[in-house]
Amino acid sequence: MFFNSFVFASFLAICLVLYLALQVGGRHRAQNRMLLVASYAFYSAWDWRFCFLIVFSTAVDYWVGRLLERADKRPERRRLVAVSLTVNLGLLGYFKYAGFFSQSLRDLFALFDVALPALASDVILPVGISFYTFQTLSYVFDIYRRRVTPTHDFFDFALYVAFFPQLVAGPIERATTFLPQILERRSVDWERFSSGGWLIFWGVFKKVVIADNLAKLVDLVYSDASAPTSVEMLVGTYAFAFQIYCDFSGYTDIARGSARLMGFDLRLNFRLPFFALNPPDFWRRWHISLSTWFSDYVFVPLSFSRFLRARFSIDVTILLSLMITWSLVGLWHGAAWTFVVWGAYQGIILVAHRSLRPVLIRISPRSRPGRIAWSGLRMMAMFHLTCFGLLIFRAQSLAALMMHLSALTGPYEVGYAFTWLLPLGTLVAPLLLINIAQARSDDLEVVLRWPLAVRTSLYLLLGFMIVTLGEDGGQPFIYFQF
């Protein structure tokens, strides 16, 4: 049940009618139960069998949380966390990585002329498992750190795990902020309906007009059968940067808008990432819920690890922690070596920026025009670093990656480049114009503050583009495969 389909629109409308009817009666618990049933119905639309998997994961972490509340001794608390880690990462590892590691092992033994049987080659990846697994793990970690009190209502906790707007591809919510919204009464008013409706509308536009149309160009360049020219490779990589951003942020906007219609506030997952000035700034703007998850639960513990600090200086420990963390971020994205390489690349540019930061500070201009020009230069450099990383991310294999890199070496024909850049620029122009307005006002919902006539004109224009240029058929979102 894709967000960009009439089936989901009908499903959401039915949920809203039932939700508002229960609100009139002041039945907060009944609203939660209805949303839980709706969430499992939503998830079962992909494969009903995987509902048993999410129920099992939910039950394990619910009881681990309850036991942690009563456990006082550190060894016992650590054993309980180990149970949660073993179960959750065991399930994630089997369904997501068993086939990958099995094939990698077969390839390794094949180098020595040893044939191994194929194992776990037909394992189906449950949709959303990477997201809800991290969400339940954060709940256990926060109880262990005594940052949150476990809920005693299993069904409320189940709704925290399976809430349908963000179940499949996030944002990855934290119990500290989202669970209280489930436990307390929520209010729905016109302001929430207005802003939630705009988020859904804008998210649909980004997905069906920009992302799905750019996908045709990107697939043409990155297909196994293609031999793209340097211009085609470069423009195709630019196009993929905007495609994946509009696809993923479009999903997030629809998720946040749908939740807001029911009185929930999901966390922000994107904040104008193409305006980033450096690698750390980029990850404060792109997939924020994932980057902060790895920062809080992987990077920080590694940085303060007694094992690492006993063997290395503090600076080396931090650099090693960055590389380990971002290699894991890459692996989280998928069972392929290209994702591991992409994660390592992100770690390298973060380490390089940290090492060069004193130099960058010294050469930073002091005058206002100089600072503006310097910011523009840094922004452009970061955009190209991002695009290079996404070229690695999009490659189907390491062999294909080497071919793509070779294609970028030139020569470039200016006239031919213009014919490829024109459709790309036409599609992304509305996005860039609104992003610039958001950046200048430092308000991601600045559109809602515009005069009624301006807003109406914008809605009509975007609606016209959705009808005339939007891709039919409900194309899957890219992050559904993760």
Side-chain angles (χ1 to χ4, degrees), residues 46-254:
W46 275 278
D47 192 326
W48 62 270
R49 294 171 297 176
F50 290 131
C51 285
F52 294 105
L53 191 66
I54 195 172
V55 168
F56 176 69
S57 180
T58 300
V60 168
D61 283 327
Y62 171 76
W63 284 111
V64 167
R66 293 293 304 276
L67 293 172
L68 276 172
E69 184 181 27
R70 297 195 291 267
D72 293 324
K73 297 180 179 179
R74 179 172 291 185
E76 182 183 1
R77 293 172 65 80
R78 286 182 171 177
R79 283 194 295 271
L80 288 168
V81 173
V83 169
S84 176
L85 278 169
T86 301
V87 171
N88 285 291
L89 296 185
L91 291 173
L92 182 63
Y94 173 73
F95 284 100
K96 190 167 184 176
Y97 302 107
F100 167 63
F101 287 116
S102 171
Q103 184 59 48
S104 297
L105 192 63
R106 292 181 67 208
D107 292 342
L108 177 63
F109 274 80
L111 296 175
F112 303 97
D113 295 326
V114 177
L116 294 180
L119 301 173
S121 57
D122 297 324
V123 176
I124 301 174
L125 178 65
V127 65
I129 188 171
S130 298
F131 290 90
Y132 73 70
T133 296
F134 274 29
Q135 188 152 310
T136 60
L137 280 175
S138 71
Y139 172 77
V140 171
F141 292 154
D142 286 345
I143 294 174
Y144 175 78
R145 296 175 175 182
R146 303 189 190 279
R147 292 179 177 175
V148 68
T149 302
T151 177
H152 291 190
D153 189 308
F154 175 79
F155 297 107
D156 283 343
F157 177 68
L159 179 59
Y160 160 76
V161 177
F163 185 51
F164 74 86
Q166 49 85 226
L167 170 61
V168 176
I172 302 170
E173 290 295 328
R174 304 286 184 90
T176 51
T177 55
F178 191 56
L179 198 54
Q181 297 183 61
I182 293 174
L183 301 178
E184 299 167 1
R185 294 183 182 274
R186 300 168 294 272
S187 62
V188 180
D189 52 28
W190 172 248
E191 183 179 352
R192 283 187 172 274
F193 259 82
S194 176
S195 60
W198 160 248
L199 282 172
I200 294 172
F201 185 57
W202 180 230
V204 169
F205 175 83
K206 287 195 286 187
K207 168 60 177 172
V208 304
V209 175
I210 303 177
D212 287 351
N213 278 289
L214 288 178
K216 301 173 187 177
L217 187 154
V218 173
D219 292 343
L220 181 66
V221 171
Y222 279 89
S223 69
D224 292 334
S226 69
T229 65
S230 299
V231 166
E232 293 167 350
M233 193 73 245
L234 181 65
V235 178
T237 301
Y238 288 155
F240 180 60
F242 288 105
Q243 180 205 352
I244 193 170
Y245 168 67
C246 289
D247 190 283
F248 194 15
S249 69
Y251 172 92
T252 303
D253 287 342
I254 298 171

Side-chain angles (χ1 to χ4, degrees), residues 368-439:
R368 187 171 184 276
R371 289 197 304 270
I372 293 173
W374 179 237
S375 295
L377 181 62
R378 294 164 66 198
M379 197 180 299
M380 186 63 66
M382 189 61 229
F383 174 74
H384 282 87
L385 285 173
T386 300
C387 288
F388 185 82
L390 289 173
L391 183 150
I392 302 171
F393 189 95
R394 182 61 175 77
Q396 296 296 316
S397 65
L398 293 178
L401 172 60
M402 298 308 296
M403 293 174 59
H404 298 333
L405 293 175
S406 177
L408 283 176
T409 58
Y412 291 87
E413 300 177 24
V414 177
Y416 186 51
F418 180 78
T419 62
W420 276 71
L421 287 170
L422 183 61
L424 171 62
T426 303
L427 283 172
V428 303
L431 171 77
L432 294 178
L433 290 173
I434 290 181
N435 280 178
I436 290 170
Q438 292 170 322

